[in-house]
Structures are given as structure tokens and as C-alpha cells.
Amino acid sequence: MPDGALDHPIAFEPRSDAPQALRHDWTRDQVLALMAQPFPDLMFQAQSTHRAHFDPRDVQISTLLSIKTGGCPEDCAYCPQSAGHENPIKATRLMAVEAVLTEAAAAKAAGASRFCMGAAWRSPKDHDLETVCAMVEGVKALGMESCVTLGMLDQGQAGRLREAGLDYYNHNLDTSPEFYGTIITTRTYQERLDTLAHVRDAGINVCCGGIVGMGESVADQAGLIATLASLPKHPESVPINMLVRVANTPLADAHAVDPIDFVRVIAAARITMPGSHVRLSAGREGMTDETQALCFLAGANSIFYGEKLLTTPNPTENRDMQLISRLGMRPV
Ligand code: SAM
Ligand code: DTB
Ligand code: SF4
């Protein structure tokens, strides 16, 4: 342990003021006003909210695996798995259940509590869904939480996944309703909202967030957060991704995001969705430890853990455990 921080844990005392009632009526302008505050005020508000709902030392740890890579018919401009982009990534078939469970067991041994499986589909075919259900059952049997992201679902498919014991379904809104059409044309924002409603109605926890750094305005970032925070129930898990600029995608040359601006988006997610886990998601490989520390201070309390996301690199497990330890935080 680099600094012995975990040898001297601070006692956690929740703030005396009770957690505030959750709001579901955030407007884009209200979120913009939040984000435009002086940084010290924004961070104070985010910290106060975070501490009223969570132990600020805890970082939830999820590991990702791409169970079916590439060859995707959708045209998401950020994504290396779209078959429509130049020199797309090689497409693979759906992995075998046993191979997936071997990876899940390794992730558990490395310290992950949730195993997230992603497939590059527009929506799952029925026979593939059965295979994924067997994976979900196997992950559960290992004593881990399960999450899958398979594209659009109808109500019956969501119900089938719930029956198999699925804990979380990841389906992102990605950006604001206004900016969305410049990023994806093959599926609508409303279709995404419909899938989220099916997942919610099936009784599965919702994991839903978006991406920062695709050329959107601050108003679009606020619009994404306001839309998420105005869902009938807040997503239990809110992944905030910093765009990973992948060669041969239309966003390969997007402008880099100012890390402070990124922290402001994390803080806005924390303040508007106080009881949700906010995940500092893709993009950590290119971030300094100090930027990540600011994200945790702004209320991020979950990460993707393991050297690969779906197709792109993530920090090594060693680097992450050292950072968590240096900050006196702890994986959960
Ligand atoms: N195909 C399914 C779908 O789109 O619903 C599931 C997998 S998809 C890769 C899951 C999410 O990963 C996307 O919605 C997007 O938010 C995120 N993502 C994909 N490529 C990314 C990139 N280059 N940088 C940051 N986030 C990315
Ligand atoms: C999410 O919001 N981020 C993850 C997960 N949900 C599935 C995916 C990030 C993908 C980054 C690009 C890649 O590795 O292909
Ligand atoms: Fe396909 Fe998902 Fe990538 Fe879009 S984000 S191209 S749907 S894998």
C-alpha cells in the first residue's frame, strides 16, 4: 500500500440533514445553472449530496466483457463496433457460455462485484437471448451481480432476462435529445426510452448514462443529465463516459474534453440523482490520477475495472487498486 491510507480509515459520519427527496422534474436550464456555478460551490454541493446518501470511501467495481464484438448494423458515430465505419473491427460470434463464466470467475477473483456483458447488436435474436440467459444464471451462481447490454429490448425479452435473474440492464441515452441525431441515425431517442421503460417494467435495475466529448455543447451535456434525472425513476447506475476517440470512427478527431468540464458533468449527475451510483466509465485510461480523484470528489462512486472495456484499453487493475488505496477509498 503506497501510503497506508487504509490503515487509518476515517470514521464515516453521514451528514445530519436527511437525504433530500428525489426530484424528477429537472430542466436543462436548471442543470446548466448548476454546472455553471463556481467550481468550489459545485463541488461542495456534490460532496454534500454524496455524503448524505453514500459512504464517500466506497467505489463499486464492475468488470466488462464483450461477449459478441463488432459487425453491428447501427451507425453510432463514436463506436468502433459499427460495421458501417471504415475498416471496422473484426466481427466475432457470440462467445460460449463456459468461456464467459471463466472470465467472470477471474473478474471475481480480481475483486469485481458485478460482471457486465456487452453485445454489438441492434437487438438480440431469441436463440441468442437464451444463451445470454444461461450466462446470467452462471454469473449469479458465482455470487456476482450481473449486467448485460444487448441493444433494444421488447417487453417479452426484458421479462425473459429478469426470469434468468438479471440484476442490471445497460442502455444509454448517450447525449441530449437535440444532439442525438448528429451521432446516431439508425435508432431514435424514443426507441431508447422505450427499451428503458421495458427494462424498468420487468423489474430489472436500470443502468443508463451517456458520453461527454462528442462535440456537444454544455447545454447538451445538461440536457442529457436533465433527461436522465427526469425519468420516472432514476437509473440505479449512471455511467458517464468520456469519449474514447477510436481511429476510423467519425469521431476519431473530436476535440479533447477539458477534464474540469468533465468533472462538472459528474457533479451534475451526482446532485440531480443523489441515490444513484454514478460510474466514471470509459476514458479513464487517458485520465490522470488527479482527474479521477476529482471525479470521485464530485460524487462518482463506481468504475469499470479490468484492462479492457469492450474493445479499448482501461487502466490496469494494479494502477486502479493503487489509486483507490492512495485515496483511502475501498472497492465494494
Ligand atoms: N450495442 C449495445 C447498445 O448500443 O445498446 C450495447 C453496447 S454499446 C458499446 C454500450 C455503450 O458504450 C454505448 O451506448 C456508448 O454509450 C458506450 N460507448 C461505445 N463506444 C464508446 C466510445 N468510443 N467512447 C465512450 N463510450 C462508448
Ligand atoms: C457504458 O456506458 N460504457 C461501457 C458499457 N456501458 C457497456 C462501454 C464503453 C465502451 C468503450 C469503447 C470500447 O471499449 O469499445
Ligand atoms: Fe452497435 Fe452499440 Fe456500437 Fe451502437 S454503440 S454501433 S449499437 S455496438
Side-chain angles (χ1 to χ4, degrees), residues 114-129:
R114 189 175 307 157
F115 195 63
C116 307
M117 297 165 274
W121 289 323
R122 174 173 166 81
S123 59
K125 298 199 167 59
D126 285 348
H127 65 277
D128 287 334
L129 192 69

Side-chain angles (χ1 to χ4, degrees), residues 60-65 103-104 106-108 110-117 144 147 303-309 317:
Q60 190 278 326
I61 303 280
S62 293
T63 290
L64 259 179
L65 176 68
E103 299 277 347
K108 185 181 180 190
S113 58
R114 189 175 307 157
F115 195 63
C116 307
M117 297 165 274
M144 297 178 90
C147 176
I303 56 170
F304 283 124
Y305 174 68
E307 294 182 15
K308 205 168 168 195
L309 291 165
E317 290 162 1

Side-chain angles (χ1 to χ4, degrees), residues 64 79-81 118 149 170 172 207 209-210 239-241 244 246 279 281-282 304 308-313:
L64 259 179
C79 184
Q81 303 199 68
T149 178
N170 168 244
N172 290 341
C207 172
I240 305 293
N241 298 276
V244 180
V246 183
R279 182 172 305 118
S281 302
F304 283 124
K308 205 168 168 195
L309 291 165
L310 291 172
T311 66
T312 65

Side-chain angles (χ1 to χ4, degrees), residues 72 74 76 78-81 118-122 149-152 169-174 187 192 209-211 241-246 249 282-283 310 312:
C72 185
E74 306 281 332
C76 312
Y78 50 76
C79 184
Q81 303 199 68
W121 289 323
R122 174 173 166 81
T149 178
L150 314 172
M152 291 189 284
Y169 194 82
N170 168 244
H171 197 65
N172 290 341
L173 290 176
D174 280 348
R187 89 168 50 137
R192 290 188 184 251
I211 308 179
N241 298 276
M242 184 185 278
L243 175 70
V244 180
R245 292 170 292 175
V246 183
T249 63
L310 291 172
T312 65

